Amino acid sequence: MALVLTEDQELLAQTARDFVRTNSPVSRLRALRDGQEMGFSPDIWQEMAQLGWAGILIPEEYGGAGMGLADLAVVLEATGRNLAPEPFLSTVLLGGQLFTHAGSPEQKQAWLPGIATGEKILALAYQEARSRYDLNRVSTRATAEGDAWRLLGEKMQVLDGQNADALIVSARTSGEDNDQDGITLFLIAPDTPGVALIPQTRVDGRAAALVNLDGVKIDAESIVGTVGHGFQTLLHIVDLATVGLCAEMLGGMSQIFEDTLDYLKTREQFGVVIGSFQALKHRAANVFMEIELCRSAVMAAANAADAGESDLALLVSLAKARCSDAFVLATNEGVQMHGGIGMTDEHDAGLYMKRARAAEMTFGDAAWHRDRWARLRGY
Amino acid sequence: MADLETFRTETHQWLDANAPASIRGVGNTLLDGNWGGRKARYPNPDMKVWLDVMAARGWTAPEWPTQYGGGGLSKDEAKVLQQEMNALRLPAPLIGFGLTMIGPTLLQYGTEEQKHEHLPGIIKGEIRWCQGYSEPGSGSDLASLKTRAILEGDHYVINGQKVWTSFANLADWMFMLVRTDPEAKKQEGITFLLVDMQSPGVETRPIKLISGASPFCETFLTDVHAPARNVIFEVNKGWTVAKSLLNHERNMIASAFGTTAGKGRTMRDWAKEHLGLAGDRVADSAIRDRMAQYEMDSRAFRLTTERARDAAKAGRPPGPESSMFKIYGTELNQRRLELLVSIAGPHALGWEGPGFEDVELTLTRDWLRSRGNTIEGGTSEIQLNIIAKRVLGLPD
Ligand SMILES: Cc1cc2nc3c(=O)[nH]c(=O)nc-3n(C[C@H](O)[C@H](O)[C@H](O)COP(=O)(O)OP(=O)(O)OC[C@H]3O[C@@H](n4cnc5c(N)ncnc54)[C@H](O)[C@@H]3O)c2cc1C
Ligand SMILES: Cc1cc2nc3c(=O)[nH]c(=O)nc-3n(C[C@H](O)[C@H](O)[C@H](O)COP(=O)(O)OP(=O)(O)OC[C@H]3O[C@@H](n4cnc5c(N)ncnc54)[C@H](O)[C@@H]3O)c2cc1C
């Protein structure tokens, strides 16, 4: 597949950019953050769903558009530009993809149409206090009780956990804490006795929760996929979701970079615009190059995901490592080149910097992905 | 697409039938490729056979028009040809400044007569070209060049000095920049001219590099005559041609250095051998991380060149952002060699003689030579200036 957007994707990108510019200014984030609400706007999410974005990946038989990650990526790049916090990651990329790829026909019927219409929010609880980026480091336990299971453990920074209509939790049904075998995925209603959701406040203002599971009783129908084989499923879904996250990051770094360029062309010191100083020019050119490389890597990963190519994992690691480093670089440079004003809460640069770090530490940072690349390449 | 697959099958069969066995797997870099020309030496005569069979089909210049002897292939077909050559481990039949620099420039700016005069010789590998741009006082600030050309009747008389002229001593012709109007603004008094290196008054003196080789020269020009019809484009408009050629040069340098994976032993093999294993992994985790970082950056770079090609096919030809390919490609090559030197450790310190393997000695020389990559063809700093000004719109 060519590394250029199709005409349809160009159109979709334009629509998305226009919508985001009009309806989702970055300033909205401060209100959401300070409001202690759910972290995103349900109204805007509804509008996004009506534009078809929540259903891009969902098969047509379940009310979606049956399109690919390369299509969703252009939307996510646009929402990423203005740091829109609507639940693409939790609901569309993680929850929706999980049901699409591993759900039973009943589970698909129960959840996918609602995701496409924007009515249902999902949360995938995979991360634990010391699991870092390894999906196999699961110490939450599920023990069999007749036909049912009883869950004990705690998940952290579960995206949209407090907003979700259902949680999908990875728990260990057999084996040791770091084994890849023996992990099972459970679908849990948030009001099930023993489930406690405690909102967490993160640096990027995104909705996240501690999920405490204190002897939660779950019946066997609520398993997603098969018992003991959750790790491979999670790995694949997280790889797909990572491509989407990278597209969002690409949007974020592009926007903060363009904001910085504008500032370089307008701010005057020493009687000239600061963009005429070579020390800043070269650094800006450097950030430009890094973003160009990211764009290629993200497009290649999205194409590989849609075509089911065998080197998907390598390309995902490539995209995530590059985007993690470049987003952090673009925001650090952005704040620096803005001088004092970049340090203020009133200015947007800091919001991008915080999101860059949070995105970097979601689904593996650059060093983690370099290590995975090295392993996949046999060294 | 079906046509392309037919083309692929036929090409593969033809290549397999016509490529001499002894040239398969030989080196393909700027250092050991076949540059052709009247002074070419062929230690392996099969290399000349390979050149001639490919040139006869125009496949030394696959995308050039057939009326000048080129292959007339589409971009897609040329890509398939390259892929099939890679698959059979066949080196390029010919490399050099004719194919990558002056040829594309003539196609764009030359008259019909000039194209017919010069392109066939390039395609057949008969004429080797060198580039007379830099002067002792004019490097990055190329437009300040002083070599003077004065029109006398139907020819120019040239006086001056060029420097860093790569392979001037082996070249048959030189494309050069001369000052034809010393009164005009510096960019507006320059003319792009072709000169036969056998002309009386041309003298070349090789200069030795830190790598020990002497691939470049000082070139002295004393009352050298060149016919006025050898002016490309217009008199005093040479700067336009010069910049266009520099774009071709940067792309050539970027692709030559940014994409070669290294021949023979891979970096992974070197690392496993020199650093040992911890389980099935290279033992030194710091080197492992640098290797992954290099490999990933180089994959991202290749994807970006592909993306630029795809965009060009979709009607968006590359502009000044091609400077980034020059910077990034050359830096990747330097990083690759620095990393190999780190991996080889004391084995990378050999200059010549016993106690060092040939590949190790080659590595040392390649590493030293690679430091010039970010200087030749316009330094990295100059490329950053170009990006800042022409792509990002930052003011002077
Ligand atoms: C946390 C904090 C505390 C502070 N406390 C105080 C205080 O107590 N009292 C006080 O008076 N001030 C204080 N300051 C202000 C501080 O001194 C200024 O922010 C600083 O001097 C930079 O000026 P500026 O913000 O106007 O940025 P600008 O001067 O507009 O600089 C913007 C960017 O351009 C770059 N730049 C500017 N000129 C050049 C050049 N010639 N060459 C290359 N690059 C250039 C800068 O490095 C920067 O990256 C504080 C700032 C901060 C962030
Ligand atoms: C291996 C090799 C092969 C070559 N082959 C050829 C050839 O075949 N034909 C030919 O004509 N030339 C050739 N060159 C010459 C090459 O093009 C010049 O060396 C190059 O353009 C730099 O010029 P200079 O060496 O005079 O360095 P200078 O221009 O003096 O630069 C010195 C340093 O100052 C920096 N600098 C200069 N101006 C600026 C600026 N405005 N902003 C920031 N930094 C700046 C440079 O980046 C560099 O780091 C070759 C060079 C090398 C190393």
Side-chain angles (χ1 to χ4, degrees):
Chain A
M1 224 180 294
L3 295 171
V4 283
L5 296 186
T6 63
E7 261 174 55
D8 288 347
Q9 287 166 344
E10 295 275 13
L11 271 174
L12 184 59
Q14 194 53 52
T15 314
R17 269 201 297 270
D18 291 346
F19 177 87
V20 170
R21 200 175 299 132
T22 325
N23 299 287
S24 178
V26 183
S27 55
R28 176 169 85 90
L29 280 192
R30 284 187 201 86
L32 287 167
R33 173 193 69 184
D34 301 338
Q36 301 290 316
E37 301 285 327
M38 57 198 300
F40 69 87
S41 154
D43 292 343
I44 289 188
W45 183 233
Q46 264 310 310
E47 289 184 51
M48 289 174 164
Q50 272 157 27
L51 286 164
W53 299 350
I56 284 180
L57 294 181
I58 292 184
E60 283 171 291
E61 51 186 313
Y62 296 108
M67 293 170 13
L69 262 174
D71 304 304
L72 181 60
V74 303
V75 170
L76 292 171
E77 184 182 338
T79 58
R81 275 187 170 267
N82 280 11
L83 305 176
E86 276 60 38
F88 280 104
L89 208 48
S90 60
T91 302
V92 173
L93 287 162
L94 290 171
Q97 287 290 87
L98 182 64
F99 283 127
T100 303
H101 288 268
S104 66
E106 294 76 32
Q107 286 167 340
K108 287 183 184 173
Q109 198 55 60
W111 293 98
L112 294 180
I115 293 174
T117 58
E119 287 156 301
K120 295 241 166 36
I121 304 293
L122 290 172
L124 181 65
Y126 61 93
Q127 205 171 16
E128 299 184 357
R130 292 285 173 270
S131 67
R132 216 171 155 80
Y133 309 121
D134 299 323
L135 300 167
N136 54 309
R137 281 159 77 171
V138 174
S139 53
T140 295
R141 293 258 158 195
T143 23
E145 263 187 31
D147 276 351
W149 296 84
R150 207 172 271 286
L151 271 67
L152 192 67
E154 186 171 65
K155 298 287 176 175
M156 68 161 207
Q157 293 194 34
V158 178
L159 294 174
D160 290 309
Q162 61 270 57
N163 305 320
D165 298 291
L167 304 161
I168 302 141
V169 175
S170 65
R172 185 161 291 292
T173 41
S174 64
E176 301 299 321
D177 276 3
N178 292 348
D179 288 354
Q180 294 186 355
D181 287 338
I183 294 168
T184 305
L185 302 173
F186 292 91
L187 180 63
I188 304 179
D191 57 0
T192 311
V195 176
L197 293 166
I198 304 146
Q200 290 186 285
T201 310
R202 293 205 323 183
V203 69
D204 64 341
R206 293 279 169 112
L210 281 172
V211 176
N212 207 294
L213 304 158
D214 188 10
V216 180
K217 194 173 170 198
I218 300 295
D219 58 33
E221 280 94 86
S222 298
I223 285 172
V224 186
T226 51
V227 174
H229 297 108
F231 172 74
Q232 292 304 336
T233 309
L234 265 184
L235 197 63
H236 184 56
I237 299 307
V238 166
D239 266 352
L240 297 177
T242 304
V243 177
L245 175 62
C246 286
E248 183 214 305
M249 296 167 83
L250 180 62
M253 68 180 88
S254 301
Q255 188 61 50
I256 184 63
F257 179 59
E258 285 164 29
D259 291 352
T260 307
L261 275 184
D262 284 344
Y263 194 71
L264 290 179
K265 290 174 191 172
T266 46
R267 169 72 173 169
E268 289 191 13
Q269 285 291 281
F270 302 99
V272 291
V273 291
I274 57 172
S276 63
F277 299 129
Q278 197 176 52
L280 304 189
K281 279 183 177 170
H282 283 192
R283 285 159 63 172
N286 193 38
V287 176
F288 165 79
M289 292 195 289
E290 295 297 325
I291 295 176
E292 287 296 308
L293 293 190
C294 285
R295 180 171 300 284
S296 317
V298 172
M299 289 176 99
N303 286 347
D306 289 339
E309 278 166 24
S310 58
D311 62 350
L312 175 63
L314 274 173
L315 286 170
V316 166
S317 279
L318 174 60
K320 186 57 171 54
R322 298 282 338 172
C323 287
S324 295
D325 282 345
F327 199 4
V328 168
L329 175 75
T331 53
N332 283 350
E333 289 288 57
V335 169
Q336 176 65 23
M337 292 193 206
H338 275 87
I341 193 78
M343 283 295 294
T344 62
D345 185 52
E346 177 195 357
H347 197 275
D348 292 342
L351 296 174
Y352 284 88
M353 180 184 267
K354 292 166 184 172
R355 181 59 194 149
R357 280 291 175 187
E360 176 201 19
M361 290 172 197
T362 304
F363 307 148
D365 62 9
W368 190 88
H369 280 285
R370 285 198 295 271
D371 189 59
R372 182 167 90 148
W373 170 286
R375 268 187 286 116
L376 290 167
R377 296 263 304 131
Y379 57 89
Chain B
M1 270 325 199
D3 284 353
L4 207 56
E5 285 317 298
T6 315
F7 177 78
R8 182 185 298 282
T9 315
E10 286 170 7
T11 300
H12 188 95
Q13 285 164 356
W14 186 87
L15 289 170
D16 204 19
N18 287 280
S22 71
I23 57 137
R24 302 190 185 204
V26 311
N28 200 12
T29 67
L30 290 188
L31 297 179
D32 51 15
N34 177 23
W35 290 72
R38 296 193 191 114
K39 297 177 188 160
R41 296 282 167 274
Y42 291 96
N44 175 0
D46 280 349
M47 199 59 214
K48 178 78 169 80
V49 174
W50 175 228
L51 168 63
D52 290 342
V53 291
M54 286 292 273
R57 292 195 77 164
W59 281 7
T60 46
E63 290 178 55
W64 292 8
T66 47
Q67 70 256 41
Y68 312 117
L73 301 187
S74 68
K75 275 196 166 36
D76 284 331
E77 288 168 336
K79 193 169 163 185
V80 167
L81 171 60
Q82 188 58 54
Q83 285 166 346
E84 294 312 308
M85 284 172 60
N86 292 348
L88 291 164
R89 296 170 53 242
L90 301 174
L94 182 68
I95 61 171
F97 298 171
L99 288 175
T100 52
M101 292 199 244
I102 185 64
T105 305
L106 284 172
L107 282 169
Q108 190 178 353
Y109 288 102
T111 60
E112 254 335 277
E113 205 185 352
Q114 288 168 335
K115 292 183 203 176
H116 279 290
E117 182 180 352
H118 295 290
L119 295 178
I122 294 173
I123 293 165
K124 292 188 204 126
E126 290 167 355
I127 300 296
R128 180 169 180 173
W129 288 83
C130 67
Q131 175 187 33
Y133 272 30
S134 305
E135 297 180 6
S138 306
S140 299
D141 184 14
L142 181 60
S144 69
L145 62 93
K146 294 194 181 58
T147 295
R148 188 79 168 91
I150 297 174
L151 187 63
E152 288 183 6
D154 62 353
H155 62 268
Y156 282 95
V157 179
I158 309 163
N159 279 287
Q161 188 198 333
K162 296 290 173 181
V163 72
W164 319 133
T165 330
S166 293
F167 306 113
N169 53 338
L170 299 175
D172 306 303
W173 278 71
M174 172 161 71
F175 54 89
M176 68 182 301
L177 297 177
V178 291
R179 184 153 304 281
T180 35
D181 183 353
E183 310 302 326
K185 230 184 98 196
K186 62 181 182 178
Q187 282 89 352
E188 287 159 18
I190 295 173
T191 298
F192 192 105
L193 192 60
L194 309 182
V195 174
D196 187 336
M197 292 297 278
Q198 285 181 333
S199 313
V202 178
E203 191 199 338
T204 59
R205 277 186 219 148
I207 308 172
K208 204 165 176 176
L209 292 186
I210 54 174
S211 57
S214 8
F216 65 15
C217 299
E218 293 177 286
T219 305
F220 300 91
L221 301 122
T222 317
D223 291 330
V224 176
H225 287 210
R229 64 183 168 81
N230 285 1
V231 168
I232 303 301
F233 198 44
E234 290 167 36
V235 176
N236 293 330
K237 294 272 164 55
W239 190 242
T240 308
V241 188
K243 280 193 300 188
S244 157
L245 183 137
L246 277 173
N247 272 337
H248 294 302
E249 177 176 15
R250 279 159 200 164
N251 290 337
M252 181 269 298
I253 293 175
S255 59
F257 293 122
T259 56
T260 46
K263 57 202 160 187
R265 266 190 290 191
T266 63
M267 186 184 285
R268 182 175 52 191
D269 298 336
W270 280 80
K272 287 188 168 173
E273 182 186 323
H274 284 278
L275 304 168
L277 293 175
D280 56 356
R281 308 198 66 184
V282 170
D284 185 327
S285 65
I287 292 280
R288 229 161 51 204
D289 189 67
R290 279 174 67 192
M291 283 168 64
Q293 203 154 6
Y294 162 73
E295 283 191 353
M296 293 168 98
D297 288 349
S298 124
R299 180 78 181 264
F301 177 75
R302 282 204 308 278
L303 287 168
T304 306
T305 55
E306 252 175 64
R307 183 158 69 82
R309 251 202 324 268
D310 290 344
K313 263 201 316 210
R316 288 188 299 275
E321 64 272 21
S322 65
S323 283
M324 80 168 266
F325 297 113
K326 196 317 180 153
I327 302 178
Y328 214 87
T330 53
E331 285 181 0
L332 273 174
N333 191 50
Q334 294 179 340
R335 280 169 58 191
R336 178 175 70 85
L337 289 158
E338 298 276 342
L339 187 46
L340 283 169
V341 163
S342 297
I343 289 169
H347 291 267
L349 294 178
W351 185 250
E352 59 189 12
F356 299 99
E357 289 179 41
D358 281 347
V359 283
E360 292 167 351
L361 293 171
T362 306
L363 167 62
T364 311
R365 307 287 180 125
D366 286 354
W367 150 60
L368 288 164
R369 175 61 183 82
S370 76
R371 299 315 307 175
N373 300 161
T374 46
I375 300 169
E376 58 201 306
T379 69
S380 290
E381 290 74 26
I382 296 301
Q383 307 310 312
L384 288 168
N385 288 348
I386 292 174
I387 293 175
K389 181 168 176 175
R390 305 222 177 276
V391 183
L392 305 181
L394 295 172
D396 280 330

